[in-house]
PDB file of all heavy atoms in Angstrom:
ATOM      1  N   GLY A  18      -4.550 -11.721 -12.371  1.00 97.00           N
ATOM      2  CA  GLY A  18      -3.357 -12.350 -12.393  1.00 97.00           C
ATOM      3  C   GLY A  18      -3.432 -13.288 -13.761  1.00 97.00           C
ATOM      4  O   GLY A  18      -4.127 -12.817 -14.593  1.00 97.00           O
ATOM      5  N   THR A  47      -8.640 -13.773 -12.596  1.00 97.00           N
ATOM      6  CA  THR A  47      -8.721 -12.755 -11.481  1.00 97.00           C
ATOM      7  C   THR A  47      -8.712 -13.552 -10.235  1.00 97.00           C
ATOM      8  O   THR A  47      -9.289 -14.524  -9.904  1.00 97.00           O
ATOM      9  CB  THR A  47     -10.144 -12.241 -11.653  1.00 97.00           C
ATOM     10  OG1 THR A  47     -10.340 -11.611 -12.892  1.00 97.00           O
ATOM     11  CG2 THR A  47     -10.523 -11.162 -10.633  1.00 97.00           C
ATOM     12  N   LEU A  88      -3.808  -2.710   4.775  1.00 98.00           N
ATOM     13  CA  LEU A  88      -5.216  -2.972   5.395  1.00 98.00           C
ATOM     14  C   LEU A  88      -5.770  -1.576   5.495  1.00 98.00           C
ATOM     15  O   LEU A  88      -5.069  -0.632   5.859  1.00 98.00           O
ATOM     16  CB  LEU A  88      -5.236  -3.571   6.714  1.00 98.00           C
ATOM     17  CG  LEU A  88      -4.601  -5.126   6.680  1.00 98.00           C
ATOM     18  CD1 LEU A  88      -4.697  -5.777   8.131  1.00 98.00           C
ATOM     19  CD2 LEU A  88      -5.406  -5.920   5.762  1.00 98.00           C
ATOM     20  N   THR A 106     -11.289  -0.981  -3.446  1.00 98.00           N
ATOM     21  CA  THR A 106     -10.413  -0.132  -4.306  1.00 98.00           C
ATOM     22  C   THR A 106     -10.319   1.266  -3.643  1.00 98.00           C
ATOM     23  O   THR A 106     -11.275   1.907  -3.305  1.00 98.00           O
ATOM     24  CB  THR A 106     -10.923   0.030  -5.715  1.00 98.00           C
ATOM     25  OG1 THR A 106     -11.111  -1.184  -6.349  1.00 98.00           O
ATOM     26  CG2 THR A 106     -10.151   0.903  -6.557  1.00 98.00           C
ATOM     27  N   PRO A 114      -0.367  17.564  -5.367  1.00 81.00           N
ATOM     28  CA  PRO A 114      -1.696  17.960  -5.598  1.00 81.00           C
ATOM     29  C   PRO A 114      -2.038  18.080  -7.097  1.00 81.00           C
ATOM     30  O   PRO A 114      -3.132  18.179  -7.516  1.00 81.00           O
ATOM     31  CB  PRO A 114      -1.755  19.331  -4.965  1.00 81.00           C
ATOM     32  CG  PRO A 114      -0.385  19.775  -4.820  1.00 81.00           C
ATOM     33  CD  PRO A 114       0.428  18.556  -4.702  1.00 81.00           C
TER      34      PRO A 114
END
Side-chain angles (χ1 to χ4, degrees):
Chain A
T47 304
L88 295 183
T106 300

